[in-house]
Amino acid sequence: MTEAPSAQRRLLVAITGASGAVYGLRLLQVLGAMPGVQVHAVASDAGWLTLRHELDLAPEALRPLVHTLHDVALLGAGPASGSFRCDGMVVAPCSMRTLAAIAHGLSDNLITRAADVMLKERRRLVLMTRETPLHLGHLRNMTAVTEMGAIVCPPMPAFYLRPQTLDDLVDASVARVLDLLDVPHALSQRWQGMDIAPA
């Protein structure tokens, strides 16, 4: 595989088994349509189960959206090395199992190894954690990855934007992630302040 041109940004999207596979899919759709962005993707075994259950999607549906769709078991793939110049990684959604593995440096598959690489190379790692309610172990793992440099970004509905559809809610969360990756977009409206007339 050839190295990405210097003017091209390389981003990795990982999909794990938590509910919310639509966040990963939407990220791939948006990033894949952007010029100058080389998109790589990987899904865990549980991630594929969730993609199939929630969205009726198989691997064939994701391949056209990305430059490379990696096998989660292939620890020899590019994203497993710090010399693979990846500008950012998003785990969308991020299961509590994957969060725990990242928090404790357990690089047992390509997703957790790639996340470990992002942390050690001081590159942007965004985790769209999905679980509720949270127990103390979840919270401690979120603290641990934050202290290591990751950004925990649970998808939260922004009702102040007055969403009209489920797609609006998904896009608002994906837009926040794109902002964290410094990727320009017009996916969701931005808050301009509240226009309150004087009493």
Side-chain angles (χ1 to χ4, degrees):
M1 184 178 299
T2 58
E3 183 71 15
S6 58
Q8 191 173 44
R9 297 191 65 193
R10 181 187 277 158
L11 299 172
L12 174 63
V13 175
I15 299 173
T16 66
S19 181
V22 67
Y23 295 112
L25 174 64
R26 188 64 177 132
L27 269 170
L28 294 178
Q29 290 171 337
V30 173
L31 291 172
M34 289 184 172
V37 177
Q38 185 186 96
V39 185
H40 291 248
V42 57
S44 68
D45 293 341
W48 285 121
L49 288 175
T50 307
L51 280 162
R52 185 172 295 111
H53 175 71
E54 295 183 348
L55 302 171
D56 293 321
L57 291 181
E60 293 72 28
L62 297 190
R63 285 196 178 93
L65 303 175
V66 301
H67 178 273
T68 305
L69 181 60
H70 297 278
D71 184 336
V72 72
L74 189 59
L75 284 171
S81 172
S83 64
F84 184 83
R85 296 295 301 177
C86 191
D87 296 289
M89 176 179 177
V90 184
V91 184
C94 182
S95 67
M96 293 298 102
R97 187 264 177 217
T98 298
L99 170 69
I102 295 170
H104 295 279
L106 184 61
S107 301
D108 60 343
N109 62 43
L110 184 58
I111 294 173
T112 53
R113 171 57 188 169
D116 200 60
V117 167
M118 299 303 290
L119 293 173
K120 77 182 185 70
E121 299 292 334
R122 307 300 191 266
R123 299 174 188 158
R124 186 58 53 92
L125 173 64
V126 180
L127 307 177
M128 295 186 78
T129 50
R130 273 283 299 111
E131 186 60 275
T132 193
L134 300 169
H135 63 58
L136 185 57
H138 299 151
L139 296 170
R140 284 178 172 161
N141 287 335
M142 290 181 185
T143 298
V145 296
T146 301
E147 290 173 340
M148 288 188 283
I151 298 175
V152 177
C153 183
M156 301 286 190
F159 291 110
Y160 59 85
L161 297 177
R162 297 190 178 184
Q164 301 299 305
T165 66
L166 181 59
D167 288 344
D168 291 342
L169 290 173
V170 170
D171 282 355
S173 290
V174 169
R176 294 302 304 273
V177 170
L178 295 175
D179 285 346
L180 292 172
L181 295 173
D182 293 322
V183 174
H185 66 88
L187 193 61
S188 179
Q189 60 180 312
R190 296 185 181 277
W191 180 249
Q192 302 298 326
M194 191 176 295
D195 187 13
I196 302 177

